[in-house]
Amino acid sequence: MLSRRLLCPLIKCCPPLQRQQQRNTWILKRVNKPYLKKSWVNPLVVGPALKRINADYELHPDKDFLYEVVKNTENDKMDDIEVLLLKHVKGLGVAGDIVKVRPGIFRHHLYLKREATYASPENLELYKDLIENKQRDINAPSSALSPITVEKLSKTYAVLELSSTQPWTVEPWHVRIALRNEGFIVPEYAIKMPETPITGPDVEGKQDKDFAVFITINKNEQVAVRCTIHHIGAFVHDNWKTRAVRVPILAEQKELLESMFSYPVEEEEEE
Amino acid sequence: MSRKAIDVSLYTRLPLHYRRMREELNKPSTRVHDEPVKTPFVDFYMRDEKKQIIDRMSDVPIKVDYPSESDSGLWGGEGVIRGHPLTWFPSLQRAVVYSEIFDKHLSVVVTRRTLQLIDDAHGFDNYILRTPIQDLKSQLALDLRRKMLITLAKKDFAKDDPKRFEFIWKKYGDCAIPLEEAEWFGLPISKAMAKLISMEKEQNPPQPLKVKFAKELIEKLEGIYKY
Amino acid sequence: MAICSFSKLGVKTRSYDDKNLLPLPSDDVFHTEGFRQIAYSLEEAIAFHRETHHPTMFNKSNALIEAAVELDMRTKKKTKFVSEFSGILMFPHKFEIKTSRRIVAICKTLEQSDIAIQSGASIAGGSDIIRQIKSKKLTSTDFDHIVCHSDMLVELAEVRGVLRDHFPNKVKGNYGTDMQTLVTKFMESLDYKCTRDDIEPEFGCVESPFGSLDMDTDKLRENLIYFLNKVESHQPKDAPSCFIRRVLLKSKPSLEQFRIRHWDLLDGYEDPTQIDESEMKSGQKG
């Protein structure tokens, strides 16, 4: 505030430096063609090599400084750039991957943290080992997407809707359909069922109770997924996920299920 | 003796590589703020289609000013354009860039164009080392380049990590020049001349007249003593 | 124009567009959110529905399978769109479906009207019915279809203005000489109707069952091809793009719906994913 008050009289007495002040990258064009001497006066000034030589006459202070804006490149969208990842970046890829990212993200984050570098021919040559050894590293995530899939799968309740009249045993394809309803594409070979078979129908004993299956992503990472059995036609509360503490079906999976993610129990408001 | 004459004599005494660099620096740079005028025949254009009259086309680059502030930042060739009623300014921003040779993060004032040029050159070091010097348009860039060249000439980088040393030498080793040249690179004329004067002083230090006269006197006296 | 009004109303567009969606990843386990909808083959989609209706799950092996066809209603003019249409389907392979149909049969002789009533028509008669229609005692709310004997067409022409869409024509095929086949044809047929709203006039949708899950897959395929061809016949000739945008298979009580590769079933359609890839390649070269 103080500085502004001090500056105020200064600003008032000074004439404005320019009428239009825009801070952008400009590409301009001359409005008027500067005068040139006639070729008979100066026959040598011909040809592309002499193009850069200034006009023969001095530039007019008004006429020849009249410019016209051709283009303002400030708001042009920049293209994505190809980068080589040096470390695993969540959601982008693993070390050795070549991916395309927005330039701002690369310049101000990935490059400064040394998580990625330019995918130039020299860099590809220099980081040859990293690119070739990508497959061999077991501890690294198998793909860019797999850590996200693991996180999503571990927070999912897969609901198996099973018949309340016909006898059944829970099979991998039941789990596959339950996960498909949640939006996951899972092949049957990736599902590892609990060793004890679960049979039904058992509305009293197994309704709204949990068991766990293991899912292997890209034959590499393994996640435990919580599955819940709902019988078709049996009553289910709307807030069944948060209503009470989850009960396991199999006694052997009790510790496993307790260690997994579950929604906190919310107490119902009594009216 | 006029002041200018001293300057000229000093300039001719400057090292040849330094004078070549100054010549290079004065070459016309890439045109950032305008595009060359396109003409159908070399630098002629058809003035009258019916009568088939051709005329010469003037192609005078727009004058760009580089204020003293541009020497403390990296504007990437952009500058201030003073047009007749209007003036155009570059849009400046402060950004952090990473230099592999120094292994340091630098916070500098840049434009969007600079960031793009750094990307096109695949890194900050490449931009500073491999851009034609007349396009840098900044004393800071020249100073950084001199420092980089000195570091490369002395091999004074990544001393504790041989793997990294090899990596950087492979990447930027082809830019290295002898240390003697590197120390002169990109100096402004005033500093170069000061450097030259101090060097010359070191090589033949000036002798006080007192010493000189004393010597002469002793020589004379020695002669008298003999006879 | 239409997109503008969406944002004002805060309504989401119903048409499927995968411009902003990512191509499918190479992982074997992934979450489909943010990716393009997977297009299954018809056999796969039917197999998925059969799974959910397995005895251990919904236990309904004869459930109906429905197709929802999403249409591009644009025409050559920017402000004009294909109007709502309807029609009847007579599938090559029949399946059980509970429908109530009220058919009015107009014929010259008593014998013919007897045959019509035996084969399922609710009302049958001659000039008396035409008189009722004329006096508006019998309106279009009282029946679904009119079937007419060729001999009575001239007399029925009097009430053409009252009947409007119900007036017999060649496309519908609701006039002829054999009353029995005419009535049974319309008794076994299914109606379909294109629904469209004014907010998004370029999007239309037609839904109809085309078989039950216990039928042969080949029969289901033929039925679906028949249905899709029938829908496609409503497209004006000078339309700017393909008529059918997406085909979804549904089967109640399961809530799942699967997109199928309709370009495999129809002529003149190209695989949109392949077009994208070829464009990408050419773009990279350029």
Side-chain angles (χ1 to χ4, degrees), chain A residues 2 14 22 31 50 93 97 100 109 126-127 137 166 170:
Chain A
L2 188 80
C14 288
Q22 278 175 310
V31 176
L50 294 164
D97 271 357
K100 275 196 164 186
H109 301 277
L126 285 167
Y127 289 103
D137 198 355
Q166 301 289 320
V170 176

Side-chain angles (χ1 to χ4, degrees), chain A residues 143 163 174 176 180 183 185 218, chain C residues 27-28 30 32 51 56 256:
Chain A
S143 77
S163 172
H174 288 128
R176 196 189 76 217
R180 196 171 65 205
I185 301 298
N218 294 339
Chain C
D27 294 26
D28 59 353
F30 64 97
T32 49
E51 273 175 358
T56 58
E256 284 180 288

Side-chain angles (χ1 to χ4, degrees), chain C residues 79-284:
Chain C
T79 49
K80 207 182 162 192
F81 298 94
V82 181
S83 55
E84 287 190 352
F85 56 85
S86 61
I88 55 166
L89 294 165
M90 280 162 275
F91 286 111
H93 303 286
K94 292 180 178 63
F95 55 93
E96 274 185 33
I97 181 164
K98 284 174 193 168
T99 46
S100 63
R101 314 195 136 251
R102 296 158 300 170
I103 292 170
V104 174
I106 299 165
C107 28
K108 208 158 199 179
T109 59
L110 271 173
E111 288 171 20
Q112 285 170 351
S113 59
D114 281 346
I115 293 166
I117 284 183
Q118 274 171 20
S119 33
S122 41
I123 314 165
S127 48
D128 50 330
I129 290 180
I130 295 173
R131 233 175 290 134
Q132 278 184 9
I133 294 167
K134 211 173 183 180
S135 60
K136 294 189 179 173
K137 278 179 188 170
L138 194 71
T139 58
S140 58
T141 52
D142 301 327
F143 57 86
D144 296 322
H145 291 288
I146 278 186
V147 174
C148 181
H149 196 271
S150 315
D151 300 344
M152 293 296 284
L153 269 180
V154 184
E155 288 178 45
L156 195 66
E158 285 178 31
V159 288
R160 190 172 206 149
V162 185
L163 284 173
R164 286 183 189 177
D165 294 348
H166 287 288
F167 191 79
N169 62 27
K170 208 176 180 181
V171 178
K172 275 188 183 175
N174 49 356
Y175 65 87
T177 48
D178 190 357
M179 287 313 285
Q180 197 182 345
T181 48
L182 263 180
V183 175
T184 46
K185 195 171 109 181
F186 276 86
M187 284 300 287
E188 284 169 358
S189 69
L190 271 174
D191 287 339
Y192 68 88
K193 202 186 173 200
C194 164
T195 50
R196 204 192 78 176
D197 51 27
D198 294 336
I199 300 170
E200 194 181 14
E202 67 262 34
F203 176 82
C205 186
V206 183
E207 281 187 46
S208 168
F210 66 93
S212 60
L213 282 175
D214 53 357
M215 278 166 75
D216 248 16
T217 312
D218 291 337
K219 286 181 180 177
L220 283 173
R221 171 188 277 269
E222 278 171 35
N223 273 2
L224 183 62
I225 290 171
Y226 167 77
F227 175 42
L228 293 180
N229 281 327
K230 195 94 183 176
V231 170
E232 230 209 334
S233 66
H234 291 276
Q235 189 188 23
K237 274 173 191 172
D238 53 352
S241 61
C242 287
F243 198 38
I244 296 173
R245 271 183 177 169
R246 183 166 67 151
V247 181
L248 295 170
L249 292 198
K250 301 173 183 178
S251 180
K252 282 171 188 174
S254 155
L255 295 174
E256 284 180 288
Q257 51 185 22
F258 302 104
R259 181 188 178 198
I260 59 159
R261 294 200 281 266
H262 61 268
W263 49 90
D264 289 350
L265 306 173
L266 288 164
D267 298 333
Y269 281 82
E270 278 181 59
D271 189 353
T273 53
Q274 278 190 359
I275 294 167
D276 280 6
E277 276 169 19
S278 60
E279 272 178 12
M280 288 270 280
K281 274 173 194 169
S282 64
Q284 279 170 3

Side-chain angles (χ1 to χ4, degrees), chain A residues 196 210-211 247-258:
Chain A
T196 337
D210 296 356
F211 66 96
V247 187
I249 293 174
L250 304 170
E252 71 222 35
Q253 283 189 338
K254 198 182 172 189
E255 281 180 13
L256 174 68
L257 282 167
E258 276 171 5

Side-chain angles (χ1 to χ4, degrees), chain A residues 143 145-146 149 152 161-163 166-168 173-174 176-177 180-185 187 189 216 218 232, chain C residues 25-33 35 38 40 48-49 51-52 54-59 255-256 258:
Chain A
S143 77
L145 202 64
S146 64
T149 316
K152 280 185 178 171
E161 292 196 27
L162 295 167
S163 172
Q166 301 289 320
W168 43 257
W173 63 269
H174 288 128
R176 196 189 76 217
I177 291 171
R180 196 171 65 205
N181 274 320
E182 296 291 331
F184 291 100
I185 301 298
Y189 63 78
T216 326
N218 294 339
I232 290 164
Chain C
S26 56
D27 294 26
D28 59 353
V29 179
F30 64 97
H31 194 240
T32 49
E33 189 188 336
F35 292 103
I38 303 169
Y40 296 103
F48 286 155
H49 278 306
E51 273 175 358
T52 50
H54 192 264
T56 58
M57 290 188 74
F58 284 107
N59 191 17
L255 295 174
E256 284 180 288
F258 302 104

Side-chain angles (χ1 to χ4, degrees), chain A residues 17-30 33-39 42 45-48 51-56 59 61-63 65-71 73-78 81 103 106-108 111-114 117-123 126-127, chain B residues 28-39 42-45 47 55-63 78 81-93 95-98 100 103 105 111-113 115-116 118-126 164 166-167 170-172:
Chain A
L17 197 66
Q18 71 283 330
R19 283 183 211 164
Q20 176 205 36
Q21 185 179 347
Q22 278 175 310
R23 298 188 169 267
N24 292 321
T25 315
W26 298 98
I27 291 189
L28 307 171
K29 200 179 84 180
R30 280 184 190 281
K33 193 161 71 94
Y35 280 114
L36 291 172
K37 270 182 191 172
K38 292 287 176 203
S39 53
N42 189 356
V45 187
V46 163
K51 255 189 170 187
R52 288 186 182 283
I53 292 174
N54 274 6
D56 301 340
L59 293 174
D62 293 352
K63 266 188 193 172
F65 286 87
L66 209 60
Y67 302 137
E68 199 176 68
V69 177
V70 177
K71 182 161 77 172
T73 55
E74 185 68 14
N75 297 325
D76 285 6
K77 203 186 171 190
M78 282 185 274
I81 42 176
F106 173 72
R107 284 173 194 159
H108 304 307
Y111 189 65
L112 297 187
K113 289 180 203 160
R114 295 220 242 154
T117 185
Y118 296 92
S120 62
E122 306 97 58
N123 277 349
L126 285 167
Y127 289 103
Chain B
S29 55
T30 40
R31 288 158 79 166
V32 179
H33 286 289
D34 60 340
E35 284 153 4
V37 183
K38 277 173 196 163
T39 42
V42 195
D43 59 354
F44 286 87
Y45 76 106
R47 200 177 68 189
D55 202 353
R56 265 178 65 215
M57 186 73 167
S58 61
D59 183 19
V60 187
I62 284 176
K63 205 189 163 202
E78 280 186 48
I81 305 161
R82 293 177 204 275
H84 172 47
L86 310 177
T87 305
W88 286 273
F89 289 92
S91 87
L92 303 175
Q93 64 190 79
V96 177
V97 291
Y98 174 69
E100 275 182 331
D103 193 14
H105 292 87
T111 59
R112 202 176 121 113
R113 188 182 147 83
L115 293 173
Q116 270 174 352
I118 291 173
D119 280 353
D120 293 347
H122 302 308
F124 180 70
D125 306 78
N126 274 332
R164 200 178 143 68
E166 205 169 298
F167 174 82
K170 251 186 184 175
K171 226 174 166 180
Y172 307 109

